[in-house]
Amino acid sequence: MEEEKMRMKERRIVVSVEESEESMHALSWCLGNLLPENTKCASRILLYVKPPLPVYSSLDATEYLFGGDAIASMEKYGRDLASSVMRRAEAVYRDVNTNVSIKVEKNVGTGDAKDVISTAVDTLGADILVMGSHDYGFFKRALLGSVSNHCAKHVKCPHKIVKQPKHVQH
């Protein structure tokens, strides 16, 4: 009986999406691999994190350096980018044929991606976090940091970091 309840329970899978092909590959992988036949319903939560606008110590300095039009333009660019990423993610959903009912929630956060993702996973009650990997080498990872590495160490739910296959060139 308990097993039946678990199969009927809606699985909450958070998929971190962003502009990269690696991110969309991870979403596609998730759709193809995390929906067992006996699962009645799954909830996919798409999470996109916008970088914050620059913060200055004085609002007067911000207005002086960036007029109201410039700040509004930066905010609009962030909203447009988030919408673009979500449209790409929806296209991935349409391309994957599945018999399972999938409910999709879209969430957009603002801030440092590793912190926003880690917090959102807890807040959203995720059963698993799926994210892509840029597969940076040692030096790039040391300089830029790795969001997926940070999340793998800090999230409290199971996680899957999906690497995009390398294309063989002849």
Side-chain angles (χ1 to χ4, degrees):
M1 185 67 150
E2 189 64 33
E3 186 176 319
E4 180 72 20
K5 285 182 185 177
M6 288 302 289
R7 276 189 272 144
M8 297 297 286
K9 177 186 176 273
E10 182 178 278
R11 294 180 67 203
R12 295 182 59 79
I13 302 169
V14 173
V15 182
S16 175
V17 293
E18 39 119 338
E19 300 84 3
S20 72
E21 289 302 316
E22 293 88 354
S23 169
M24 294 301 143
H25 174 73
L27 175 58
S28 180
W29 179 92
C30 176
L31 291 168
N33 292 283
L34 290 183
L35 293 176
E37 293 299 319
N38 61 357
T39 302
K40 296 291 182 198
C41 186
S43 178
R44 292 290 187 279
I45 302 167
L46 301 176
L47 175 62
Y48 174 75
V49 181
K50 297 186 297 185
L53 290 175
V55 177
Y56 296 93
S57 61
S58 167
L59 291 176
D60 294 334
T62 303
E63 278 299 317
Y64 179 74
L65 293 173
F66 301 109
D69 291 343
I71 293 171
S73 292
M74 288 187 285
E75 289 173 348
K76 182 183 181 319
Y77 174 76
R79 286 190 306 272
D80 291 348
L81 190 56
S83 294
S84 173
V85 169
M86 292 301 180
R87 281 193 304 276
R88 284 185 64 205
E90 288 169 356
V92 171
Y93 274 100
R94 284 191 302 273
D95 290 345
V96 175
N97 185 14
T98 180
N99 295 328
V100 178
S101 170
I102 301 173
K103 181 172 73 173
V104 178
E105 297 175 32
K106 298 175 189 173
N107 287 281
V108 177
T110 301
D112 186 0
K114 63 182 182 267
D115 296 327
V116 173
I117 293 168
S118 296
T119 301
V121 165
D122 289 338
T123 304
L124 296 168
D127 293 309
I128 188 168
L129 168 65
V130 177
M131 57 193 321
S133 171
H134 292 286
D135 204 17
Y136 291 145
F138 174 76
F139 290 110
K140 261 192 180 175
R141 194 170 49 252
L143 290 173
L144 300 175
S146 170
V147 174
S148 59
N149 190 40
H150 178 273
C151 290
K153 291 179 180 177
H154 293 91
V155 297
K156 295 177 180 139
C157 69
H159 55 275
K160 175 67 177 171
I161 299 170
V162 180
K163 292 185 178 182
Q164 192 167 13
K166 300 217 185 280
H167 298 287
V168 179
Q169 293 182 354
H170 297 281

